Each structure stands twice: as C-alpha cells, then as structure tokens.
Amino acid sequence: MAAPKKGRRSPGSQGRPGRALAVIVIAMVALIGGMFISGHTTPRLGIDLAGGTSFTLEAKNQPGKPNAINTANMNTAVSIIERRVNGLGVSEAEVQTQGPKHIIVNIPKGTNAKQARQQVGTTAQLYFRPVMTTTSGGKTKAPSSTPSPSSSASQGKPDKGDQGGSGKPSPTATTQGRAVPEALKADKTPTPTPSKTPKGGETGKPSDTSGQEKLAKDFAALDCTTRAGRAAAAEKAANTKPSDPVLACSQKGDSKFVLGPSEVEGTDVDDASSVFESQNASGWIVQLDFNNKGAKKFAKVTGELTKQQSPQNRFAIVLDGEVVSDPEVTQGAITGGRATISGGFTQQSSADLANVLSFGALPLSFDIADETTVSAALGGEQLQAGLIAGAIGLALVVIYLVVYYRGLSLVAMASLAASAILTYTIMVLLGPAIGFALNLPAVCGAIVAIGITADSFIVYFERIRDEIREGRSLRPAVERGWPRARRTILVSDFVSFLAAAVLFIVTVGKVQGFAFTLGLTTLLDVVVVFLFTKPLMTILARRPFFGNGHPWSGLDPKRLGAKPPLRRRRPAAPGPADTPKEA
C-alpha cells in the first residue's frame, strides 16, 4: 500500500493555538516575576513628571582656540558632566547634546541644585600628578607611619582600572621620533609598605608628622570600591590645590592612590589623538603633543620619575579628581614635546583616552544659557492629566468595540490587556536596565499605541466577517482571513515602527521618549496579534457561541448579510423531449 503523500497544511487547518498562548503567558509571568524580584514595581519617571532641574549649557570658545567646539569634544563633555552629576548621587540624570554647541542636563528632584549648577558649569580639570603610593581600592590597615615615596614596594596585581575603567590596556609611552625602548611601561599596582617619612622637598608633601599621619589614615580608610567613596574622593581631589598632595581613586574603583603635587596641567597638552601604529606592531596608540611650556615641564618630571623605584616612578593622569591612567616611567626624560602611549589599547579605549586628554587641554567652557525648575506637583498634575486622557481614549475604544463587534469585543479587550501588561512590565524593567524614564511625551506615545493596537484587531475581525459574508462557516473563515489580515497588519506596523525609529534618531530630548514608546508598543502589537489574538480566535471558533453565529457573538451570518453556501448543481437528466428522433 503506498504511503500517503505529504503536503502543506491546508488553509483551513487549525494548528495548535494552545502553544502560542502558552508562550505569551509564560513571557508575561516571567516579566511580572522579574519586576517584583528586581524590587521595581513602578516605572522610573522623567524630570517632567517627577520634578527636578533642567540646565541648558552653551559651549564657548576662548581666544586662540576657535575650533575647540566639535563633535568629539562635545561628546567627551557629555561624558564628563554625566560623571560629575552622577557623583552627586543622581543616577537618573540625563545629559545629552542638543545641536552643535548645546548640552541639556536634566537632574531629578532630591539634588542640590546649587551644587549641580557648579558641577555642570565648570571646565574639566586635568592634571598630571606623580604617584607616591597605590594599592587596591578597598579599605586597608592603617599604617604606623605615612606612605613613603622612597620606600620599596612589592609588586601586586596589575591595575585594571586604568584607561577610563576599561581594564584592558596597559599603557606604554615613548618619545616620538627616537628609537628607544618603552619609556612608560604597563601599569602595575604595588602593595605599599609605608614605613618611611617622605622627603618634603622631593614630593611636595608636608613634613610635619601630624599631617603625614592624617594623610596615611585617610588613605587607609578610603574605600574606592563603593560609589559613595569614589564620589567623595573625587570631590575632595577636585577641590584640592594643584600644589598639594591628594588622595584619588581609579575610575573603576579597584585602585586608590596617594598623589603628589601637579607637575603638568591639562592646559599644557596641545593635542592628543588616537592612531593605529603598524610599523612596530604597537596597535592602537595615543599621541600627545605638548606646548612649549608643557614640553619643558613634562621632560623634567619624566626625568625625575625615571630615577625612582615603583610605584614612585609613575605619574597619574587625573581628570576631575579621578585617575584615568597611571603609566610607569623607566627610561630617560621624554623630551621634544611629543610622547606616545601604547600597549594593549583597543580602538575605543585609545579614542577615549585621547578625548580625555584633548578635552582637558582645550579651553572649552560652558555658560548656563537656561535653567528651568519643574516642581513635583506640576509633574504629578501632568501625569494625572495624561492618565485621564489615556483612560478616556481607552473607554471610547472599548465602547466602540462593544457596540460594533459585540462578543468579539471580549477578544479585543483581552488582547489590549495582554499588550498593557507587556508594555508596563517592560517599561518598569527598562528603568534600572538602560535608564529609561517615563516622561510626558512617552505617556502620549502609549496613548497613541492604544489606537494602533486596536486597529490591528479590527483588521483581523473584518477579514473574518468578510469570509462569513461569502458564505463560509466561522472555523474556515478564521483561517482564511488570517493571511490577508496578517499582511495588512505587518505593513501597517512596519510603517509605524519606521516613523518611530526615524523620529528617535533625528530628535533629541523628550521627543525621543515619545518615539521610543511608540516603537516599543508597535513591536508588542505584532507579538500580541500573532501569539494571543489569532490563537484565541482559533480556540473560540470551536465554541458554539461563536461557531454557530450567536446574535451577540458579532459573527451572526444574518446580521452580516451572508450569502447562502455555494453548491454545485448536478446536470439534469435528458427527458423524452430531448431524445433525438431517428431519421
């Protein structure tokens, strides 16, 4: 007996709708569970809803530097300002460029506005300080005497906190144009053995015993592994005179330092760039060019550091009180006003360090062009108004569905509920994950999404009703109407998502919240229609209430004006009159 031929599933096949429903139910349960496990059950609100302060900064050129305002420096400024305001304990701060020379800083409520104004309005502080001692970032045992720049130190684990916290590159610097070995070797974090009193003349540290002991105790108590500890150390270091020693943390917090007086300042750097060097197989490097004054000072300090033992032969690059990198000098003074830092860089890490050095050197300052304070009460009123508008829109959609579609409105409302659950939980989880904040335009995007989602259901329902009008029963109508409805829904949602994506890319600020929410809800509409609405209709088509076309089901053939089923007519048998006569 021949095996039956295998072919494609017929258009009227019902498939396995239970599996699709199980997938989306499991996804909703997982998202709700993740929301409660994370401890975040409400969306993170933006400044316009939660209240706070908004600053508009305008970049200014200074005499002699007409081209300081460029994309690279503006992006670096955003990074520096964001690190500053977050150092105030404001993890929800929003810092972004607006146009070629403006930066918008949004700081939610609970922040000292005066302190934030001072932080965002000042130019970056970049210093080159000699390293007196360094160790791991956590608290250490208080020494019996002060750290000594001349004491020997055992080698510990490599410092992975350099290069802006990348933890990968090991910087090495050489003089430009001279065939010499590496002058600045890979960073290593020695464990300090503070047993001798430093020479005040060499290091610039105070020679009084009480001051040395206090510095040693502060160094031992400093905990750079916590955000609060790094913020406090950075603030204190940024407010310390360049001529005084200071305590500092690496940007990742895995190392802490005692640094001597500043020998070279950021304004002494003329330029810095990220370059791929293939001649000596060095890979990505950072080239520094000093001005005449800086070249002399850099040559002097590298000449002095090369005579010291580790870690006193290292200098730290300190940006806003945090150590960005601390290369080690092992051979000769670097003269000529040009140096190269190399060793283990990636393209991104070398570009980051070059931008830090360039920005610290460029005279790019900011004026606060505008400052707006939004009260929490005003934000609450706006949120309440937005929710009321959304509730009214949802109520009107439900009323229309009930009046026009009757029983089918239950399917639409269940689908809307599934979409609402997915949207809400994802927005809540995106707050701590990527910093998404629900602002008023985002609320408007969610309201607009109600109409987009309902439109998808209506397209599918109308396709089913068209099939019933053609004389088909409900189960075949559900399956035959789906391919046409699916195509229309996908095209419509694609256009909506494309518009949201373009709007998100070309706009800045709060309008991006509208675009992001619109795009998110459009994607979820596709998920809900495919995994919830269609399978649910397949299951309901098997129930007598819908399958038999109950008048309140919304699928009554009589109300829809259905045609009678098309049937083939058998040809009539020939009668006597039709029998041909014989000739």
Side-chain angles (χ1 to χ4, degrees):
M1 181 176 178
K5 294 182 179 181
K6 296 182 179 180
R8 293 188 305 172
R9 179 176 293 175
S10 64
S13 175
Q14 302 299 307
R16 296 179 178 176
R19 290 186 176 182
L21 286 175
V23 169
I24 196 169
V25 169
I26 291 173
M28 287 191 290
V29 172
L31 288 172
I32 294 173
M35 184 177 67
F36 283 100
I37 292 173
S38 66
H40 299 274
T41 57
T42 57
R44 180 170 157 261
L45 299 180
I47 186 175
D48 54 352
L49 298 179
T53 306
S54 177
F55 299 98
T56 300
L57 306 180
E58 183 177 359
K60 296 290 184 181
N61 280 320
Q62 292 185 358
K65 296 288 183 179
N67 299 318
I69 301 177
N70 53 56
T71 302
N73 288 335
M74 291 293 288
N75 290 336
T76 305
V78 168
S79 176
I80 293 171
I81 294 173
E82 185 174 19
R83 195 161 60 243
R84 285 179 174 181
V85 294
N86 286 339
L88 300 174
V90 189
S91 59
E92 299 84 4
E94 299 176 358
V95 184
Q96 53 194 349
T97 58
Q98 186 177 62
K101 62 177 183 178
H102 289 91
I103 293 178
I104 306 298
V105 183
N106 295 327
I107 303 175
K109 64 179 180 180
T111 308
N112 188 324
K114 181 178 180 181
Q115 186 180 11
R117 182 188 181 95
Q118 293 174 349
Q119 289 285 345
V120 302
T122 57
T123 309
Q125 299 175 348
L126 179 67
Y127 297 108
F128 294 78
R129 290 177 175 267
V131 176
M132 298 172 63
T133 191
T134 180
T135 185
S136 59
K139 292 183 179 180
T140 54
K141 186 177 180 181
S144 56
S145 60
T146 55
S148 172
S150 60
S151 62
S152 62
S154 60
Q155 296 296 327
K157 296 180 180 179
D159 182 2
K160 296 181 181 180
D162 295 337
Q163 306 307 324
S166 64
K168 294 182 180 179
S170 299
T172 300
T174 61
T175 53
Q176 184 72 16
R178 296 198 303 167
V180 297
E182 296 176 341
L184 296 177
K185 299 181 77 175
D187 299 350
K188 293 182 179 181
T189 305
T191 303
T193 55
S195 58
K196 299 181 182 180
T197 303
K199 297 178 182 179
E202 285 184 16
T203 65
K205 282 193 65 179
S207 58
D208 61 287
T209 305
S210 60
Q212 296 166 4
E213 291 179 352
K214 183 179 184 304
L215 187 64
K217 290 180 180 179
D218 291 344
F219 178 69
L222 177 59
D223 187 2
C224 293
T225 60
T226 65
R227 178 179 168 185
R230 293 194 300 272
E235 182 179 0
K236 187 174 182 180
N239 294 326
T240 301
K241 294 180 180 179
S243 58
D244 293 338
V246 71
L247 304 180
C249 299
S250 63
Q251 288 185 332
K252 282 190 66 176
D254 53 0
S255 301
K256 59 182 180 180
F257 302 83
V258 178
L259 305 177
S262 173
E263 303 289 349
V264 182
E265 297 184 6
T267 52
D268 295 323
V269 179
D270 207 24
D271 190 21
S273 58
S274 173
V275 180
F276 185 81
E277 203 279 332
S278 58
Q279 184 175 359
N280 298 323
S282 300
W284 288 100
I285 61 175
V286 178
Q287 291 183 341
L288 290 85
D289 290 320
F290 294 90
N291 55 29
N292 293 333
K293 184 179 178 181
K296 295 177 182 179
K297 292 193 292 185
F298 193 70
K300 179 181 178 182
V301 68
T302 52
E304 293 176 353
L305 291 178
T306 194
K307 303 174 185 178
Q308 304 294 329
Q309 298 294 323
S310 181
Q312 286 79 32
N313 61 345
R314 298 157 68 179
F315 66 87
I317 302 173
V318 186
L319 177 68
D320 280 344
E322 289 186 333
V323 176
V324 177
S325 179
D326 58 320
E328 186 175 88
V329 181
T330 59
Q331 179 178 339
I334 298 180
T335 59
R338 176 169 290 188
T340 300
I341 301 178
S342 62
F345 282 111
T346 63
Q347 181 179 5
Q348 185 62 46
S349 61
S350 63
D352 290 343
L353 181 58
N355 284 339
V356 165
L357 296 170
S358 296
F359 186 79
L362 291 171
L364 190 63
S365 60
F366 295 92
D367 290 339
I368 298 181
D370 183 43
E371 178 179 351
T372 305
T373 301
V374 181
S375 67
L378 179 59
E381 293 175 359
Q382 292 175 334
L383 178 60
Q384 184 179 6
L387 294 177
I388 292 174
I392 293 174
L394 180 60
L396 292 175
V397 170
V398 170
I399 292 173
Y400 170 79
L401 292 173
V402 171
V403 171
Y404 192 75
Y405 289 107
R406 300 192 177 188
L408 285 179
S409 63
L410 298 177
V411 180
M413 286 187 284
S415 301
L416 284 173
S419 180
I421 292 173
L422 291 173
T423 303
Y424 182 83
T425 53
I426 291 176
M427 283 184 176
V428 171
L429 294 175
L430 286 179
I434 64 172
F436 172 75
L438 185 66
N439 52 26
L440 193 59
V443 174
C444 295
I447 295 173
V448 172
I450 296 175
I452 295 176
T453 305
D455 182 63
S456 298
F457 309 150
I458 292 173
V459 169
Y460 185 32
F461 294 162
E462 288 301 321
R463 290 295 185 185
I464 295 174
R465 288 154 72 102
D466 287 342
E467 295 294 331
I468 293 176
R469 292 186 183 99
E470 293 296 326
R472 295 181 179 88
S473 61
L474 180 59
R475 293 181 66 175
V478 167
E479 298 304 321
R480 293 179 65 90
W482 172 241
R484 295 180 179 180
R486 177 180 58 197
R487 190 181 308 114
T488 304
I489 292 170
L490 288 176
V491 171
S492 175
D493 284 345
F494 174 76
V495 172
S496 297
F497 182 80
L498 184 62
V502 172
L503 190 63
F504 184 85
I505 294 172
V506 303
T507 59
V508 295
K510 299 176 182 179
V511 180
Q512 285 186 327
F514 172 84
F516 182 86
T517 306
L518 183 61
L520 174 64
T521 51
T522 302
L523 291 177
L524 292 178
D525 175 52
V526 176
V527 173
V528 170
V529 170
F530 276 70
L531 298 182
F532 189 85
T533 308
K534 166 59 172 59
L536 186 59
M537 279 302 306
T538 300
I539 293 174
L540 293 178
R542 302 170 182 174
R543 300 295 182 266
F545 178 80
F546 287 94
N548 296 335
H550 190 280
W552 283 96
S553 67
L555 298 170
D556 182 8
K558 293 181 179 180
R559 290 181 58 88
L560 296 176
K563 298 178 181 178
L566 299 177
R567 296 179 181 177
R568 279 188 171 185
R569 294 183 179 180
R570 294 181 180 180
D578 298 330
T579 304
K581 295 180 179 181
E582 294 181 359

